[in-house]
Amino acid sequence: METIKVGLLGLGTVGTGVARIIKENQEDLFKKTGYHIEIKKVLVKNLNKKRNIELSEDIFTDNPLDVIMDKDIQVLIEVMGGIEETKKHIIDAINQGKHIVTANKDLIAISGQELFELADQKKCDLMYEAAVAGAIPIVRALKESLAADDIVEVMGILNGTTNYILSKMTQEGADFADVLKEAQELGYAEADPTSDVEGYDAARKTAILASIAFSSRVTFDDVNVEGITKISARDIAYAKDLGYVIKLLGVAKRENGQIEVRVNPTFIPNNHPLAAVNGVYNAVFVKGKALGDAMFYGRGAGELPTASAVMGDVVEVLRNIRSNSNGRIGCTCYHDKNIKDINDIVSKSYIRLLAKDEPGVLAGVTRILGENNVSVESIIQRGGRSAGCEDCATGEAEVVLVTHTVRHEQLQKATKEIGKLAQVARVYNIVRVEEGGK
Amino acid sequence: METIKVGLLGLGTVGTGVARIIKENQEDLFKKTGYHIEIKKVLVKNLNKKRNIELSEDIFTDNPLDVIMDKDIQVLIEVMGGIEETKKHIIDAINQGKHIVTANKDLIAISGQELFELADQKKCDLMYEAAVAGAIPIVRALKESLAADDIVEVMGILNGTTNYILSKMTQEGADFADVLKEAQELGYAEADPTSDVEGYDAARKTAILASIAFSSRVTFDDVNVEGITKISARDIAYAKDLGYVIKLLGVAKRENGQIEVRVNPTFIPNNHPLAAVNGVYNAVFVKGKALGDAMFYGRGAGELPTASAVMGDVVEVLRNIRSNSNGRIGCTCYHDKNIKDINDIVSKSYIRLLAKDEPGVLAGVTRILGENNVSVESIIQRGGRSAGCEDCATGEAEVVLVTHTVRHEQLQKATKEIGKLAQVARVYNIVRVEEGGK
C-alpha cells in the first residue's frame, strides 16, 4: 500500500476536522485515490495544549521548518491563517516541490497571483476550495464544471456572521447592536467583529470568486466594500413591506469588458433563491450565458464542513500525483482586469429619510431626483411615532423611496442635495436593490 | 495553435447548444485548455434538415462510422440519446481510444459499469455531467469536491416536467390532468409523458447519483419508482394545510451499509431548501457527515444549460489530454451494493381516506394503525362537500392522517385492513413525508 505523507500547518478548528476526516475515512480515501494518507508533521503554536483529537505525540512541532523542509511530505495543508509569515511558508514549500491545499482566503485574495505563478512554474498544485464559502464546492464549479460558459454574474452570501445577524434582525425585528451582542455570546461573532460586519471577510471571498469567474486577477483592493453596521430594524421592516429581504452580498458582474465588484447590504426580492438563505448558511448564485441561473448552498464555516472542502482538494492532489498531472489546471487569470469605477455602478436603490410632515416635502425631494435623472419606482411616507418612527419629532415623518436604476455618482449627488433641503432632517441610509427572482 | 478535433453524435437541442458554445467561446476555451476545438464530424439523422446553427456542410454525415472511426477525432460527444445502438457506438469509440462525453442518463443508468470498465482499461475519459440535473454540476461535486466526505443522503428534484406540473398544481389548485395538458401544449411535457410522470426519468438520474454518492453500482432496476399521476389537487391542498409541499423526489440514503433508493412523490416541509425549487428548475440536496447540508440548484434541461455541462466535461478531457492524464479518476464504484428492500424502508406517511362521517370511524382506523404499530402524528377530518370534498356522498367525510415513522410493509398492511373497514369507502393515496428543514 502506497502512502502519501502530508503536513499540517495549524491544528485549530479546521485542522482538527482535517485530521479527523483523514483518520475516519482512511479506507474510502484509499479506494478513491489509491493512497494511504499519513499525517507526518503538524505545526502548532503550543505543544502542551490539549487537543480534541488523538494523534501520535511525536508528530507535533512548533517549528515551521520541521514541516516545510521535511522531504517526505508531499502535500502541505495550510490551515493556520495569517498573511505574511504564512505566505513565506507556502513559498518555501512550493520551492521544495510540495503541493499546497489552503483554506486561507486572506492570503489568496491578496497574494494569489504570486503564489499561483510560482506553483505553475514548479508544476505544483495550489488548491483553495475551503477559502470561499466553506463546504460549498464553488471554486471547483467555476474553475472546472462551468469553465466552458461565459459567466456574467456571481452574487454570494459569503459571511455566516453577518447572515446570522441579518436573519435574526429580520425574524425578530431586533436592532443590529443587540443581535451582534447575542451573536458574540453564542460564538457566532468574534470579540472584534470588524472583519465580518464591515464586509472585509466577504470582500476577500468576492475577490477570489470574481477572479475565477472572470479569469482575471481581482484582488481585495479592487472590491468596493460597505458593511452592515448602518442597517437598522427600521430598514428591515421597510424591506419586508416592499417585498424584499436585506442580505450582505458579495457581487461580481461583468458587462462590456468591465468588472463590477463590491460587497454591500442589498435588498433582494423575496422570490430570489438567495432570499431564503438564513442563519449561518452561505450561498453563491451564478448566472452564465449558457447556464442560466444556478445556486450553490451550504455551510460556510465550521470544523467539519470546511475540512470537507480541504480534503476534497487533497483527494484531487492525490489523484494528480497518481496520474502525474499536478498543476494540470493552473492559474486561469489570463484577462487584464478592468474594474468599473464605483461611480459608474448602476443599480436600483432604497433611500430612507427623516423629513417634515408638511406639504411640499415630497415635491422638493422628487424635484431634486428628477433634476439628477433619478426616477422613482415607489415611495412610502409614514407620519410620526404612531407609525413606529421613534426618531420622529412632532410633525416629522419617515420617507422611503425606491429608485429605478441609477448611476452611483448621480444618486450620491441627488441624496446630498436632498440632505440639504430645509425640510429634510436626516438621510438615514441608502441601500442597493437587486432584481431577478425565479 | 494546437487543435483537438471532436465529433458529435446528434445535433438536436443539446447538440446545437454544444456547437454554439464551441463557436462562441472559442477563444476562452483555448485559453483555459490550451487547445483550439474543431468539430470535425457530426452524425445527424437527416442530412437535409435545416439547422439552427451555421456549420460547414461537409462535416455532416448520416453514417455513424464516419464519426466513430475517424482517426483524427479524439473526443466523441454523444448527445443523440438511445440505448442499444448508442452503446455500441460508444464501445467502438472507446476501443479506438476516443474520450467520451455523454448526456445520456438512460445509457449510464443501465450500462454504466460495462462502459466505465472499458474506459478504465483503455485509459479513456468517460464523462457524463449533463446526464443528471442538466447544468447543475452535481456529478463532479460528488465525485471530486465531496470525495473525502461520507455522504449519507442525496435527495433531488430531478425532472423538470413533473416539477413544473406539481408547482402549477400547487400555485393554481389545479388537477393533474389539466396541468399535464397545458404542459404538453407549452412543450414542457412530451406527447407521451410516461417516462416523466411515472418517475422513470428521475429514477435513472437517482441511480446515477446513488452510484457516485455511495461508491456503488446502483442501476435503474434497483430504484423503487412511483410517479405523480395519483397526486390530486386535494392532496396538495392538505399538504399546504399541514405545512408541506409535494415534490417528486429521487431519494438515496445510506445507513448501516444498506442503500435505500427510490423515486416517489414526497411531502417536504415548507422550510426545507428543496421546497422553494419551482417550475422547470432542478435541485439536489446532499447530506454528508462532514459537509452537513448542501444544495445545488439550477436548470435541469434546455439547449444551453445542458450544453454548458457537456462542455465543462469537454474542458476537463482537454486538460487531461494536455497533462496526459486521461482516465485519472475512473470508476469509483468499489463497494458491493446492498439495496434495502422496499418493505424495510421507514418513513413518515400521509394517508387520505374517504369514510362515513359517523361515530366510531376514527376509532376503527386508529385501532388498526395501533395494532400494526403505526402511531399517528396528526389527523384531519373534513365533513362533506361543503369542505370541498367532491367525492363525498351525503354522510361521508375525508380523513387525512400523518403517521410517525413506520416500516413500509407495516403501513401497507395497515392501510389494506383500513380499506376493508365497512365505514371506509376508499383509500385515495399514501404519500411519503420527509422531515428536516433548515
Side-chain angles (χ1 to χ4, degrees):
Chain A
M1 189 155 72
E2 282 181 88
T3 295
I4 294 278
K5 292 184 171 133
V6 304
L8 253 78
L9 298 184
L11 195 70
T13 311
V14 180
T16 305
V18 166
R20 206 181 294 283
I21 291 177
I22 290 176
K23 215 170 161 181
E24 287 174 10
N25 299 351
Q26 190 71 255
E27 198 191 329
D28 275 285
L29 289 166
F30 171 70
K31 288 193 172 134
K32 286 182 182 167
T33 65
Y35 293 111
H36 173 85
I37 302 172
E38 181 192 326
I39 302 175
K40 184 158 183 222
K41 283 282 172 202
V42 181
L43 174 71
V44 294
K45 272 190 210 143
N46 178 354
L47 286 171
N48 300 316
K49 193 173 161 187
K50 203 173 146 38
R51 306 287 161 189
N52 288 325
I53 184 164
E54 266 186 57
L55 292 169
S56 159
E57 269 182 35
D58 58 355
I59 68 174
F60 292 102
T61 174
D62 54 7
N63 178 0
L65 296 181
D66 286 347
V67 189
I68 297 159
M69 306 308 275
D70 187 314
K71 289 207 184 327
D72 291 344
I73 290 176
Q74 287 184 264
V75 184
L76 187 72
I77 301 171
E78 187 274 297
V79 284
M80 63 189 276
I83 301 184
E84 280 313 317
E85 202 192 325
T86 312
K87 180 177 160 185
K88 215 184 132 295
H89 294 336
I90 290 182
I91 289 173
D92 288 346
I94 297 174
N95 278 324
Q96 298 277 318
K98 298 194 196 321
H99 309 294
I100 311 290
V101 175
T102 175
N104 194 329
K105 59 187 169 293
D106 305 17
L107 183 58
I108 297 292
I110 293 168
S111 302
Q113 183 165 15
E114 185 184 344
L115 298 175
F116 292 124
E117 281 171 4
L118 180 64
D120 264 6
Q121 198 186 313
K122 297 283 176 184
K123 296 261 175 219
C124 287
D125 286 327
L126 169 52
M127 310 234 170
Y128 55 97
E129 181 66 78
V132 184
I136 305 173
I138 186 64
V139 169
R140 183 168 286 111
L142 288 172
K143 241 182 143 83
E144 304 189 32
S145 308
L146 309 178
D149 196 5
D150 189 359
I151 302 297
V152 294
E153 182 180 315
V154 179
M155 294 204 300
I157 295 172
L158 301 170
N159 179 272
T161 304
T162 48
N163 202 47
Y164 173 85
I165 292 173
L166 291 171
S167 299
K168 271 275 177 183
M169 288 173 72
T170 303
Q171 283 151 17
E172 297 172 5
D175 248 316
F176 173 75
D178 299 330
V179 180
L180 172 60
K181 199 166 156 249
E182 190 192 320
Q184 285 171 320
E185 282 160 11
L186 288 167
Y188 291 155
E190 309 270 347
D192 175 2
T194 313
S195 170
D196 293 320
V197 301
E198 295 296 352
Y200 304 141
D201 174 79
R204 292 188 185 107
K205 296 165 179 168
T206 305
I208 296 173
L209 290 178
S211 296
I212 311 170
F214 305 143
S215 304
S216 298
R217 178 55 52 207
V218 179
T219 65
F220 176 61
D221 293 336
D222 297 320
V223 186
N224 192 280
V225 191
E226 195 189 318
I228 64 164
T229 53
K230 278 169 69 186
I231 300 295
S232 72
R234 217 58 200 143
D235 296 316
I236 285 180
Y238 278 112
K240 210 170 192 174
D241 286 354
L242 292 159
Y244 295 88
V245 290
I246 303 183
K247 296 286 181 191
L248 182 70
L249 289 193
V251 177
K253 297 183 180 183
R254 183 171 57 179
E255 204 181 12
N256 304 324
Q258 278 203 313
I259 294 172
E260 170 181 336
V261 58
R262 57 190 163 85
V263 166
N264 49 243
T266 315
F267 276 47
I268 48 176
N270 281 330
N271 65 346
H272 193 288
L274 287 172
V277 177
N278 289 318
V280 297
Y281 279 91
N282 280 198
V284 183
F285 177 84
V286 181
K287 197 189 274 291
K289 282 191 184 161
L291 172 72
D293 293 349
M295 191 177 80
F296 303 77
Y297 164 96
R299 293 187 177 271
E303 174 186 309
L304 286 170
T306 311
S308 156
V310 168
M311 287 304 300
D313 280 350
V314 171
V315 166
E316 175 91 354
V317 171
L318 264 52
R319 285 171 170 167
N320 286 348
I321 291 176
R322 177 150 293 280
S323 61
N324 194 22
S325 61
N326 296 97
R328 56 188 271 285
I329 297 181
C331 188
T332 50
C333 293
Y334 48 80
H335 279 307
D336 286 336
K337 70 181 169 189
N338 179 355
I339 305 288
K340 194 184 263 189
D341 189 277
I342 179 75
N343 283 323
D344 292 330
I345 288 176
V346 169
S347 76
K348 294 172 72 169
S349 284
Y350 152 98
I351 310 166
R352 181 163 67 95
L353 312 169
L354 181 63
K356 293 242 168 74
D357 191 4
E358 58 182 38
V361 175
L362 285 185
V365 169
T366 51
R367 178 185 49 79
I368 293 175
L369 291 171
E371 284 167 5
N372 286 283
N373 277 319
V374 182
S375 70
V376 174
E377 182 183 281
S378 56
I379 197 158
I380 300 176
Q381 175 168 357
R382 288 212 177 127
R385 296 197 183 200
S386 58
C389 168
E390 287 177 18
D391 290 349
C392 288
T394 309
E396 283 185 335
E398 259 180 344
V399 177
V400 162
L401 300 144
V402 177
T403 72
H404 285 293
T405 51
V406 51
R407 274 186 72 236
H408 180 87
E409 189 172 32
Q410 275 174 304
L411 184 71
Q412 293 297 317
K413 182 163 167 285
T415 44
K416 210 166 182 180
E417 287 174 32
I418 287 168
K420 286 182 188 156
L421 282 175
Q423 302 113 317
V424 171
R426 201 169 149 191
V427 177
Y428 285 105
N429 219 342
I430 307 171
V431 185
R432 290 189 195 282
V433 177
E434 289 288 339
E435 289 302 330
K438 34 190 170 175
Chain B
M1 190 155 73
E2 280 181 89
T3 295
I4 294 279
K5 291 181 173 137
V6 304
L8 252 80
L9 299 183
L11 195 70
T13 310
V14 179
T16 305
V18 167
R20 206 182 292 283
I21 291 177
I22 290 177
K23 216 171 159 178
E24 288 174 8
N25 298 352
Q26 191 69 255
E27 197 190 330
D28 274 286
L29 289 167
F30 171 71
K31 288 194 172 133
K32 286 182 183 168
T33 64
Y35 294 112
H36 172 87
I37 302 173
E38 181 192 325
I39 302 175
K40 186 161 180 218
K41 284 284 172 200
V42 181
L43 175 70
V44 293
K45 273 191 209 141
N46 178 354
L47 287 171
N48 300 314
K49 192 173 161 186
K50 204 173 145 39
R51 306 286 161 189
N52 289 325
I53 183 163
E54 265 187 57
L55 292 169
S56 160
E57 270 181 34
D58 57 356
I59 68 173
F60 291 103
T61 174
D62 54 6
N63 179 359
L65 296 181
D66 287 347
V67 189
I68 298 159
M69 306 307 278
D70 187 315
K71 292 209 184 321
D72 291 343
I73 290 176
Q74 287 183 265
V75 185
L76 187 71
I77 301 171
E78 187 273 298
V79 284
M80 64 190 277
I83 301 183
E84 280 313 319
E85 204 192 324
T86 313
K87 180 177 162 186
K88 216 183 133 296
H89 294 336
I90 289 182
I91 288 174
D92 288 347
I94 297 174
N95 278 323
Q96 296 276 318
K98 297 193 195 323
H99 308 294
I100 311 291
V101 175
T102 176
N104 194 329
K105 60 188 168 292
D106 306 18
L107 184 57
I108 297 292
I110 292 167
S111 302
Q113 183 166 14
E114 185 184 344
L115 298 175
F116 292 125
E117 281 172 3
L118 180 65
D120 264 6
Q121 198 186 312
K122 297 283 176 184
K123 296 260 174 218
C124 287
D125 286 327
L126 169 52
M127 309 232 171
Y128 54 99
E129 180 67 77
V132 184
I136 305 172
I138 184 66
V139 170
R140 182 167 286 112
L142 289 172
K143 241 184 144 80
E144 305 188 30
S145 308
L146 310 178
D149 196 6
D150 189 359
I151 303 297
V152 293
E153 181 180 316
V154 179
M155 295 205 300
I157 295 172
L158 300 170
N159 179 272
T161 304
T162 48
N163 202 46
Y164 173 85
I165 291 172
L166 291 172
S167 299
K168 271 275 175 182
M169 287 173 73
T170 303
Q171 283 152 16
E172 296 172 5
D175 248 316
F176 174 74
D178 299 331
V179 179
L180 172 61
K181 200 165 155 249
E182 191 192 319
Q184 286 172 319
E185 282 162 11
L186 288 167
Y188 291 153
E190 309 270 348
D192 175 1
T194 313
S195 170
D196 293 320
V197 300
E198 294 297 352
Y200 303 141
D201 174 80
R204 292 188 187 104
K205 295 166 180 167
T206 305
I208 297 173
L209 290 179
S211 297
I212 311 170
F214 305 142
S215 305
S216 298
R217 178 55 54 210
V218 179
T219 65
F220 176 60
D221 293 335
D222 297 320
V223 186
N224 192 280
V225 191
E226 195 189 318
I228 64 164
T229 55
K230 279 169 69 189
I231 299 296
S232 73
R234 216 59 199 143
D235 296 316
I236 285 178
Y238 280 112
K240 211 170 190 171
D241 285 355
L242 292 159
Y244 294 88
V245 291
I246 302 183
K247 297 285 180 192
L248 182 70
L249 290 194
V251 177
K253 297 184 181 183
R254 184 170 55 177
E255 204 180 13
N256 302 326
Q258 278 204 311
I259 294 172
E260 169 180 336
V261 58
R262 54 189 165 86
V263 166
N264 49 243
T266 315
F267 277 46
I268 47 177
N270 281 330
N271 66 346
H272 193 287
L274 286 171
V277 177
N278 289 317
V280 296
Y281 279 91
N282 280 197
V284 182
F285 177 85
V286 181
K287 198 188 275 291
K289 282 192 185 162
L291 173 70
D293 293 348
M295 190 178 80
F296 303 77
Y297 163 97
R299 292 187 178 272
E303 176 185 308
L304 287 171
T306 312
S308 155
V310 168
M311 288 304 300
D313 280 349
V314 171
V315 166
E316 175 91 354
V317 172
L318 265 52
R319 285 171 169 165
N320 286 348
I321 292 176
R322 177 151 292 280
S323 61
N324 195 24
S325 61
N326 296 97
R328 56 188 272 285
I329 296 182
C331 187
T332 50
C333 293
Y334 46 80
H335 279 308
D336 286 336
K337 70 182 169 190
N338 179 355
I339 305 288
K340 193 184 264 189
D341 189 276
I342 178 76
N343 283 323
D344 292 330
I345 287 175
V346 169
S347 74
K348 293 172 72 168
S349 284
Y350 152 99
I351 309 166
R352 182 163 66 94
L353 312 169
L354 181 63
K356 294 242 167 73
D357 192 4
E358 58 183 38
V361 175
L362 285 186
V365 169
T366 50
R367 178 185 48 80
I368 294 175
L369 291 171
E371 285 167 5
N372 286 283
N373 278 320
V374 182
S375 69
V376 173
E377 180 182 284
S378 55
I379 196 159
I380 301 176
Q381 174 167 356
R382 285 211 180 130
R385 297 196 182 199
S386 58
C389 169
E390 287 176 19
D391 291 349
C392 288
T394 310
E396 284 185 334
E398 259 178 342
V399 177
V400 163
L401 301 144
V402 176
T403 72
H404 284 293
T405 50
V406 51
R407 274 187 71 236
H408 180 87
E409 190 172 32
Q410 276 174 302
L411 185 70
Q412 292 297 316
K413 182 164 167 284
T415 45
K416 212 165 178 180
E417 288 174 31
I418 288 169
K420 285 182 189 158
L421 283 175
Q423 302 112 317
V424 171
R426 202 171 151 191
V427 178
Y428 285 106
N429 220 342
I430 307 171
V431 184
R432 289 188 197 284
V433 177
E434 290 287 341
E435 290 302 329
K438 34 182 170 175

